[in-house]
Structures are given as structure tokens and as C-alpha cells.
Amino acid sequence: MRPEALEDHHITTVDQVIHALFNLEEQFGLVPNGEDMPAGLTVEMTSVDLAKALRDWDRRRGQLEAGEITKDECRDWRDSYQPRILLDPVTGEEIDDPYTDTDRLEDARRAVRTMRWLNGGV
């Protein structure tokens, strides 16, 4: 379990939530979606790591809602999650971390094989 998962932020009221969100806007570019969209938050592209983490979280929540994983598996994932951005060395495209998205494990394996090939390995 990551130490961050054990932190208690003592947020218990809406007032505390909104002020925490104000701070997150300043630190990470987390902003309201806008009046034309349902209430929610968007990450400005100044925080690529946070945007990736939110995509990973959304993907995992989708698996939970689809019944592909249990609540305990989702909680274990959250408790050990660390956002990583991996790039395919050939295409330069982002690939998912095999430790956070097993559905994309083959992409990670392909990147490793490509890296080995580029370095003269088999």
C-alpha cells in the first residue's frame, strides 16, 4: 500500500471540499467543466500526469461498474496506484502501464520487445 493511501485529509463538509478543490486548481489545473456540461471537473493539460491518473481511475471505475472487478479489487488498485506515463519508443505514443491496466498488457510487451530489438537484442 502506498503511503499516500493512508493520509487522512479530514475533509467532512462541502465547504472543506470546495476549498480543497480551489487549491487543486492552483496546483494541478483542476477546473470546473463549465456551465454547458454536467457538474464535474476537467484537468487543464498543464498536468499530464494528473490527466493520465484520472483516465486510469475512470477506466478502473468502468471495470467495477461492468462487474469485471470487485469493490475490494478496486480498493486494492486505488491503495497501490502510482501514475506512470510510458511511451512506445518507436511510435512515441502513450501506452498504458501494465500494472494499472492489464487489458493493455500486450501494448507494454510490444514496447519492451521493440526496445530490445532497437538495442540489438532478440
Side-chain angles (χ1 to χ4, degrees):
M1 181 178 296
R2 297 194 44 84
E4 296 86 352
L6 300 173
E7 291 181 25
D8 184 0
H9 301 284
H10 304 289
I11 296 175
T12 58
T13 68
V14 171
D15 190 46
Q16 291 169 330
V17 169
I18 195 64
H19 285 280
L21 291 172
F22 293 159
N23 291 333
L24 292 173
E25 176 184 11
E26 290 180 24
Q27 290 178 303
F28 298 103
L30 198 61
V31 297
N33 281 344
E35 290 185 34
D36 296 339
M37 299 180 69
L41 300 169
T42 300
V43 177
E44 294 176 341
M45 288 314 296
T46 56
S47 182
V48 176
D49 290 344
L50 181 57
K52 162 103 170 75
L54 290 172
R55 285 192 308 271
D56 290 345
W57 181 20
D58 182 55
R59 187 176 302 120
R60 192 56 55 146
R61 280 184 45 81
Q63 291 173 331
L64 176 63
E65 290 172 4
E68 297 171 9
I69 62 173
T70 66
K71 284 184 179 183
D72 287 339
E73 289 171 319
C74 190
R75 187 177 303 110
D76 290 344
W77 174 84
R78 286 192 320 241
D79 289 348
S80 61
Y81 179 75
Q82 177 179 356
R84 296 177 186 93
I85 295 180
L86 303 176
L87 299 179
D88 184 304
V90 173
T91 66
E93 294 176 2
E94 180 182 326
I95 58 172
D96 291 318
D97 184 340
Y99 299 106
T100 60
D101 187 356
T102 56
D103 292 339
R104 301 288 306 269
L105 183 57
E106 187 51 41
D107 288 344
R109 288 183 178 137
R110 179 176 47 86
V112 169
R113 287 192 302 268
T114 303
M115 287 172 41
R116 285 184 187 146
W117 179 81
L118 288 172
N119 292 320
V122 179

